[in-house]
Amino acid sequence: MFQEDFGVDVDNKPQLSLSQPSKKKIKPHLPAESVGKRYVERFWHPFGAIIAPSLVEGAKQAWRTIDHYLQPSQLWKLHQDKSKLVGLRFDDTTSYATIDLDFFGDYHNIESINRIKAALENIGIVDIIILQSSFSGGYHLILTFASPLPTFALACALEITLRNAGFILRQGHLEIFPNTKPYSAKQITNYKAIRCPMQPGSGSFLLDDDLQPISDSVSIFLDYCDRAASRQDLTKLKRVANKAKKQIAQERYRKQESADVAQWRTNWEEIIAIGWTGLGQTNTLLQIFVGYGIVFLDLTGEELVEFCLSTAINAPGYSQYCRHQHEIEARVRHWVECTIRNKWYSAYVSYPERLLGTFTNTFAEAIADIRSIHKPKDNVIPFDRRQQQNWERSQQAQRRIQIVVRAIEWDGGLPAGATERARAIRAEYKHRFNKTISQETLQKHLHLWHPTRYILDPWAENSSNPYQSSNDGQFDSFQNSFPKQSAENPYQMENYGHCSYIKVFCPCLPPAG
């Protein structure tokens, strides 16, 4: 991922003459006040700052971007000007981050903030500072660090952590700054800007854990920032951030969502945000939670269970309408297990496994338990060419056997005995293809010719077909007239015999009489 490198001084280039003195990097111009110097040590970035006039309470700000280099002293001057608002973007490293919870959003409550705290503790962020962001009443959760961290990796860690905890990141509800900005090969992409914390006259206040105002003092706020920064586990956070960065990169290499998939995702997210609205909805919602975690978050195993459990417990209406609260974890695990076992969903974009690539086999093979067919799937390139060639030869031999058997049937009929039938097949095989077929090959494909294995027409009524169908469309168990069938036929049904394949007609078989 390409990141801006604003720490390089364009004037600090190799000199043409060794006699010339080396130029020193120009230091930024700092504020005169000590509290201002403390502030810009953590909250400052020279490019892409945004400003807006400070309007009356409840009005929407008209932000515009500053297109020049912003000195720290200029930032502090704007910060202290009650007639203006100022916001900052992020460099390639940062010593702070902000989680924005809008006033009318789904997560503007103390329960959601406590969930966010618990999720962040798992990645090493054990202390946060809570602010009222402005007169609008929204919340800013400020995360501070003792040393600068890679910005993009930190953004990935925050996004993945909150997603796994059941939160849905979307504008107007929950946003993270720095964001996981997109990559562009043609131009530099900037992180989103966020308003500077604790600007006088902007409605920004320091809050306690009960969301009650403590102070509007910048100095006290900075004391809280320093204390929180000293408590964070940066070793753990960096490890999680590197892993999250790889996950975000993998997600972005996938195909872009089509319009249908985007709508599907939006519909699910709306249902998750609404939660329970009445009784009897637990199974419906758990199925959606599991599907969303698999398809759009690419979760598996315990991570999927934790996501679904957290999403269910914290969903609106759970405590009022869900009657399975005493067994919710068992319910979640059951849905996860069933979904994965039956492959109801797969991560987007991925390719679910298929039993057969195409329906080219005979109906007798298709309705059977096809454990001995080694045909590679359509979307898999075989690595073992020898195995592929063996499979192709086997398919060719089977097709020729079918042609020979059909010809003998239509000519004078197949001999009743196995030995005589095999002899007739070998003779006809030699006559038609000028090749010999071994007894071993015939033994491998008894279902194509053997008197007690060969299926003339599986749908012919009142025949000796062991796969007889009952009136309700299910296959009955095997008839006892074929004692060796269970041992030798590789294409047989399980005892319960249910089959979901539709009826097909094989060109190699004569029509039913």
Side-chain angles (χ1 to χ4, degrees):
M1 179 62 66
F2 179 80
Q3 304 287 343
E4 304 102 320
D5 187 1
F6 298 122
V8 178
D9 185 1
V10 295
D11 292 329
N12 191 17
K13 299 178 181 179
Q15 304 301 310
L16 298 177
S17 173
L18 296 177
S19 62
Q20 293 180 357
S22 61
K23 295 182 180 180
K24 294 183 179 180
K25 185 176 181 180
I26 299 175
K27 294 183 179 180
H29 188 261
L30 299 177
E33 299 91 335
S34 59
V35 64
K37 292 178 180 177
R38 286 184 64 195
Y39 189 92
V40 298
E41 283 180 2
R42 189 178 303 277
F43 304 100
W44 171 65
H45 178 52
F47 298 105
I50 58 174
I51 60 171
S54 181
L55 302 179
V56 296
E57 180 179 344
K60 187 175 182 179
Q61 286 78 28
W63 294 98
R64 67 179 179 86
T65 301
I66 300 176
D67 57 2
H68 62 267
Y69 187 100
L70 184 67
Q71 294 285 351
S73 58
Q74 295 172 315
L75 170 63
W76 180 246
K77 182 179 179 180
L78 290 171
H79 183 279
Q80 293 297 295
D81 188 347
K82 294 184 179 181
S83 67
K84 293 183 177 65
L85 297 173
V86 61
L88 295 175
R89 302 185 193 274
F90 293 84
D91 205 340
D92 54 353
T93 61
T94 181
S95 57
Y96 81 100
T98 301
I99 299 176
D100 182 21
L101 307 177
D102 284 0
F103 180 75
F104 292 105
D106 295 334
Y107 307 115
H108 188 270
N109 52 70
I110 193 169
E111 293 81 12
S112 295
I113 292 178
N114 289 334
R115 286 175 55 203
I116 292 174
K117 285 182 178 180
L120 295 179
E121 285 181 4
N122 293 331
I123 65 172
I125 303 176
V126 298
D127 198 356
I128 67 174
I129 303 98
I130 308 175
L131 302 181
Q132 177 178 293
S133 60
S134 65
F135 287 118
S136 67
Y139 298 138
H140 278 181
L141 310 184
I142 308 296
L143 320 175
T144 57
F145 314 104
S147 60
L149 299 173
T151 304
F152 186 75
L154 174 63
C156 294
L158 295 177
E159 178 173 325
I160 295 297
T161 299
L162 294 179
R163 278 166 36 183
N164 290 348
F167 293 95
I168 298 175
L169 278 65
R170 50 179 175 156
Q171 189 174 1
H173 296 267
L174 188 156
E175 294 183 83
I176 59 172
F177 299 85
N179 62 303
T180 54
K181 66 172 186 173
Y183 167 78
S184 174
K186 297 181 180 180
Q187 61 183 7
I188 295 175
T189 56
N190 293 318
Y191 292 99
K192 290 182 179 179
I194 182 71
R195 73 162 64 206
C196 291
M198 299 296 291
Q199 296 182 69
S202 66
S204 182
F205 296 95
L206 183 65
L207 306 179
D208 61 15
D209 290 338
D210 296 323
L211 307 183
Q212 298 302 313
I214 299 177
S215 173
D216 61 354
S217 168
V218 176
S219 180
I220 294 177
F221 165 68
L222 294 175
D223 291 339
Y224 273 71
C225 290
D226 293 341
R227 185 194 67 177
S230 66
R231 298 185 62 195
Q232 318 295 22
D233 185 351
L234 295 188
T235 301
K236 184 176 184 179
L237 179 57
K238 290 177 181 177
R239 184 173 63 251
V240 173
N242 290 332
K243 183 178 179 181
K245 181 179 178 181
K246 294 179 181 178
Q247 181 174 340
I248 291 291
Q250 291 174 351
E251 292 177 359
R252 289 186 175 176
Y253 271 112
R254 294 174 178 171
K255 297 178 181 178
Q256 293 184 349
E257 292 181 355
S258 65
D260 290 339
V261 174
Q263 185 62 50
W264 178 22
R265 181 171 189 161
T266 300
N267 292 343
W268 267 0
E269 289 178 350
E270 289 177 353
I271 294 174
I272 293 172
I274 294 173
W276 273 263
T277 59
L279 300 176
Q281 298 178 352
T282 299
N283 286 335
T284 300
L285 289 174
L286 289 185
Q287 180 185 4
I288 293 175
F289 298 161
V290 175
Y292 186 89
I294 293 174
V295 176
F296 298 113
L297 303 184
D298 200 8
L299 298 179
T300 58
E302 285 300 314
E303 290 185 350
L304 178 59
V305 172
E306 292 174 6
F307 165 77
C308 298
L309 184 61
S310 176
T311 303
I313 293 176
N314 295 287
Y318 169 78
S319 58
Q320 180 179 0
Y321 293 114
C322 180
R323 293 182 175 179
H324 301 279
Q325 298 177 38
H326 62 289
E327 56 174 0
I328 189 63
E329 182 175 355
R331 283 271 179 170
V332 167
R333 291 187 178 277
H334 173 74
W335 269 105
V336 169
E337 178 186 353
C338 289
T339 303
I340 293 176
R341 183 177 68 247
N342 293 285
K343 300 178 182 178
W344 290 331
Y345 298 108
S346 60
Y348 182 85
V349 171
S350 64
Y351 300 92
E353 292 186 359
R354 289 169 288 181
L355 184 62
L356 288 175
T358 55
F359 202 89
T360 59
N361 301 84
T362 66
F363 184 78
E365 293 171 337
I367 64 175
D369 186 11
I370 314 175
R371 294 190 179 95
S372 62
I373 294 180
H374 302 289
K375 180 176 180 180
K377 300 172 182 63
D378 287 352
N379 58 338
V380 178
I381 300 175
F383 292 95
D384 188 348
R385 183 57 184 168
R386 180 176 298 177
Q387 182 179 0
Q388 173 70 6
Q389 290 174 343
N390 291 339
W391 177 85
E392 291 174 353
R393 293 192 189 101
S394 175
Q395 294 298 301
Q396 186 180 42
Q398 291 183 61
R399 286 193 294 270
R400 288 175 174 174
I401 293 173
Q402 292 170 343
I403 294 173
V404 168
V405 169
R406 182 175 59 180
I408 296 175
E409 282 181 332
W410 285 26
D411 186 18
L414 290 168
T419 302
E420 293 79 8
R421 185 174 295 191
R423 185 181 297 113
I425 291 173
R426 285 198 297 269
E428 184 67 23
Y429 196 99
K430 176 68 174 177
H431 172 72
R432 283 184 172 270
F433 304 109
N434 197 26
K435 293 179 180 293
T436 58
I437 184 170
S438 66
Q439 184 65 27
E440 180 182 2
T441 301
L442 290 176
Q443 287 294 331
K444 288 180 180 179
H445 309 296
L446 295 175
H447 64 287
L448 299 178
W449 65 274
H450 197 275
T452 60
R453 305 292 184 266
Y454 175 51
I455 304 172
L456 178 63
D457 183 356
W459 291 96
E461 297 181 359
N462 302 322
S463 70
S464 59
N465 174 23
Y467 304 101
Q468 284 294 336
S469 175
S470 61
N471 293 331
D472 59 1
Q474 295 190 6
F475 287 100
D476 296 330
S477 58
F478 296 139
Q479 297 181 9
N480 296 328
S481 58
F482 307 109
K484 294 185 179 181
Q485 179 171 344
S486 178
E488 297 183 15
N489 182 13
Y491 306 104
Q492 54 180 306
M493 301 285 297
E494 299 292 346
N495 289 334
Y496 50 80
H498 183 74
C499 176
S500 59
Y501 289 92
I502 62 171
K503 178 179 178 180
V504 297
F505 297 93
C506 302
C508 60
L509 298 177

